[in-house]
């Protein structure tokens, strides 16, 4: 009698961040024998770092607005994000025992704020599903189609039926995302867009008097660079300007557009002109702005830094307050950026995220050429692409 029992197909996921772990979960659920390899001593380091300031796992907002955050990549990402949307991400986190809350801006967080409880529960579930996790295994490429790893026990070949690559972008290299994977992929004929900083701070060459304001927040400002706009906050630091408002418009700076700040976005230019037309008397200009417009010290300092000497005409000063040009020294270096633009082009993968140049090899997460602002979009898209790649990898491996 012929047996119908065959060994389970084997899959490897290279990279143990959110995209890789989600791919492994989907592959294991489909019945594959799954190994996850990561070159660091522990997994999901960037996820844990993100969780230090509150793990923002997704954004609860209207679907079209959510998709628009991905700008030029929203076309290829749309079916992927729709298949694992914000409600689905929340349901997945709740299944892992996380109580969630939604902030006033739609950002969704675990109530404990940190990433570690979710990660522990997730790793426990993967272990229960038989996923084998190997750390300090650094992928070096292929040998006759077989993935090869540099490990503490020397070079290791890992024969598998299917592979998912999820090694992140090229920022925060100390957490594991080095971008070193680009070389073997280019050698394999994969088209890769150059890496560039996304969600990056802005470098500034401050004058000496700005030192007193390092650490101060510019709250409730409007920011614009090219077509990118934001309403939020920025922080003055020794290195430059940082914070969510800056990150949202940093792509505009990267594309060569100027940065303009609206220091008082809730007041019209006409209203400001009327207020500034009142006599100043013996007050200094700084005190006059503080008392007349309720402009705080940090905003006054930045205004003077960027536009000294300030115009005496009320209309000209109002215009400057509503559209302050920021003289800067470009974006902070790539390795300091929160995320990465560039990576494997969508033309280089099929609809299931399989490399056209390497059948049986799928790509997920920040390795793909997409970017989005902070605020839940990044982690949500990493989870969605990991899920999509894992499902299609399992189907490919099990084809007859």
């Amino acid at each position: 009698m012929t047996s119908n029992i065959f060994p389970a197909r084997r899959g490897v996921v290279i990279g143990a961040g959110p995209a890789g772990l989600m791919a492994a979960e989907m592959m294991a659920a489909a019945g594959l024998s799954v190994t996850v390899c990561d070159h660091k001593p522990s997994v999901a380091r960037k996820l844990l770092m993100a969780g230090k300031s509150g793990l923002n796992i997704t954004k609860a907002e209207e679907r079209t607005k959510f998709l628009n955050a991905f700008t030029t990549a929203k076309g290829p990402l749309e079916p992927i994000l729709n298949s694992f949307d914000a409600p689905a991400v929340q349901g997945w986190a709740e299944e892992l025992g996380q109580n969630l809350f939604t902030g006033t801006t739609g950002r969704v967080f675990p109530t404990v704020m940190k990433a570690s409880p979710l990660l522990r529960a997730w790793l426990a579930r993967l272990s229960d599903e038989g996923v084998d996790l190997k750390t300090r295994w650094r992928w070096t490429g292929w040998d006759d189609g077989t993935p090869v790893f540099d490990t503490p026990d020397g070079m290791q070949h890992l024969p598998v039926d299917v592979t998912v690559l999820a090694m992140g972008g090229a920022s925060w290299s100390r957490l594991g995302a080095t971008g070193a994977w680009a070389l073997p992929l280019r050698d394999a004929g994969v088209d890769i867009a150059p890496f560039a900083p996304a969600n990056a701070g802005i470098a500034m060459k401050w004058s000496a008097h700005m030192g007193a304001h390092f650490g101060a927040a510019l709250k409730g400002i409007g920011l614009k660079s090219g077509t990118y706009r934001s309403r939020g906050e920025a922080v003055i630091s020794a290195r430059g300007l940082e914070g969510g408002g800056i990150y949202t418009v940093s792509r505009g700076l990267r594309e060569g557009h100027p940065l303009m700040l609206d220091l008082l976005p809730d007041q019209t230019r006409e209203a400001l002109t009327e207020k500034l037309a009142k006599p100043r008397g013996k007050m200094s200009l700084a005190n006059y702005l503080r008392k007349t417009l309720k402009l705080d010290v940090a905003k006054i300092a930045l205004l003077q830094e960027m536009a000294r000497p300030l115009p005496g005409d009320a209309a000209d000063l109002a215009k400057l307050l509503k559209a302050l040009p920021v003289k800067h020294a470009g974006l902070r270096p790539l390795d300091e950026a929160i995320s990465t633009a560039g990576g494997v082009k969508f033309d280089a993968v099929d609809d299931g995220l399989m490399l056209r140049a390497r059948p049986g090899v799928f790509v997920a997460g920040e390795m793909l050429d997409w970017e989005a602002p902070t605020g839940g979009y990044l982690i949500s898209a990493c989870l969605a692409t990991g899920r999509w790649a894992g499902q299609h990898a399992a189907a490919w491996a099990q084809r007859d």
Side-chain angles (χ1 to χ4, degrees):
M1 183 162 128
T2 303
S3 172
N4 289 322
I5 300 175
F6 296 90
R9 298 294 175 93
R10 298 182 62 187
V12 63
V13 177
I14 305 175
L21 295 178
M22 182 59 83
E25 183 173 344
M26 295 300 101
M27 294 160 72
L32 271 65
S33 174
V34 182
T35 302
V36 177
C37 302
D38 196 279
H39 71 115
K40 285 294 188 179
S42 58
V43 305
R45 290 188 167 200
K46 196 171 181 181
L47 178 72
L48 291 171
M49 176 63 77
K52 285 191 174 182
S53 58
L55 182 64
N56 184 191
I57 62 169
T58 192
K59 184 77 173 286
E61 64 184 1
E62 189 269 327
R63 178 166 290 185
T64 299
K65 186 176 181 182
F66 186 90
L67 289 171
N68 285 341
F70 295 87
T71 58
T72 56
K74 69 180 179 180
L77 283 176
E78 183 171 359
I80 299 172
L81 294 170
N82 286 343
S83 73
F84 197 60
D85 58 11
V89 171
Q90 293 175 71
W92 166 82
E94 288 168 346
E95 287 177 1
L96 288 172
Q98 304 305 300
N99 295 318
L100 307 174
F101 74 93
T102 303
T104 55
T105 60
R107 299 184 180 199
V108 180
F109 301 86
T111 55
V112 295
M113 296 298 284
K114 297 184 294 185
S116 51
L118 182 147
L119 180 60
R120 284 196 298 269
W122 197 4
L123 292 175
R125 183 157 79 183
L126 292 173
S127 178
D128 291 343
E129 292 174 351
V131 173
D132 183 23
L133 180 61
K134 296 184 181 297
T135 55
R136 295 188 175 91
W137 275 48
R138 183 175 62 85
W139 178 66
T140 60
W142 292 279
D143 180 9
D144 195 24
T146 299
V148 181
F149 299 85
D150 185 2
T151 80
D153 299 316
M155 302 303 291
Q156 300 285 336
H157 290 62
L158 190 63
V160 291
D161 298 291
V162 70
T163 300
V164 174
L165 304 178
M167 290 174 279
S171 63
W172 290 72
S173 58
R174 66 187 178 87
L175 300 179
T178 65
W181 50 263
L183 182 58
L185 287 193
R186 285 196 179 101
D187 289 345
V190 178
D191 197 7
I192 298 174
F195 297 127
N199 292 298
I202 297 171
M204 302 290 292
K205 296 179 179 179
W206 300 117
S207 64
H209 88 276
M210 288 298 293
H213 305 285
F214 292 165
L218 303 165
K219 296 183 178 180
I221 60 174
L223 306 96
K224 180 176 75 170
S225 183
T227 60
Y228 305 96
R229 287 169 170 76
S230 175
R231 174 74 183 269
E233 117 175 8
V235 175
I236 300 171
S237 75
R239 298 186 301 179
L241 290 171
E242 304 175 30
I246 291 291
Y247 302 151
T248 301
V249 301
S250 63
R251 182 170 181 174
L253 275 76
R254 196 180 74 228
E255 294 174 353
H257 302 289
L259 173 63
M260 308 295 288
L261 300 187
D262 183 345
L263 297 180
L264 293 163
D266 293 325
Q267 299 188 53
T268 66
R269 182 171 157 185
E270 292 74 20
L272 291 175
T273 301
E274 184 178 343
K275 291 179 180 179
L276 291 168
K278 296 176 181 178
R280 180 165 30 129
K282 296 183 179 180
M283 282 189 290
S284 67
L285 181 55
N287 278 337
Y288 179 69
L289 291 172
R290 180 174 57 82
K291 291 186 177 182
T292 304
L293 304 181
K294 309 300 182 188
L295 204 63
D296 64 48
V297 173
K299 290 180 180 178
I300 294 171
L302 184 67
L303 176 67
Q304 293 177 325
E305 179 78 359
M306 294 296 110
R308 188 187 292 114
L310 298 179
D313 180 75
D316 290 342
L317 185 53
K319 180 181 178 181
L320 198 59
L321 288 163
K322 295 297 290 181
L324 177 66
V326 176
K327 296 173 286 189
H328 59 84
L331 296 179
R332 296 295 305 168
L334 173 61
D335 195 49
E336 295 178 15
I338 290 177
S339 57
T340 306
V344 176
K345 294 183 178 181
F346 281 100
D347 288 346
V349 296
D350 67 11
D351 291 343
L353 299 182
M354 183 172 73
L355 290 173
R356 299 185 190 278
R358 298 286 309 196
V361 178
F362 294 75
V363 183
E366 274 197 81
M367 286 183 66
L368 292 162
D369 182 19
W370 61 269
E371 61 179 301
T374 57
Y377 303 107
L378 297 172
I379 292 177
S380 199
C382 285
L383 293 171
T385 56
R387 183 176 183 268
W388 187 270
Q391 290 173 331
H392 285 80
W396 193 90
Q398 294 171 327
R399 76 199 190 293
D400 187 2

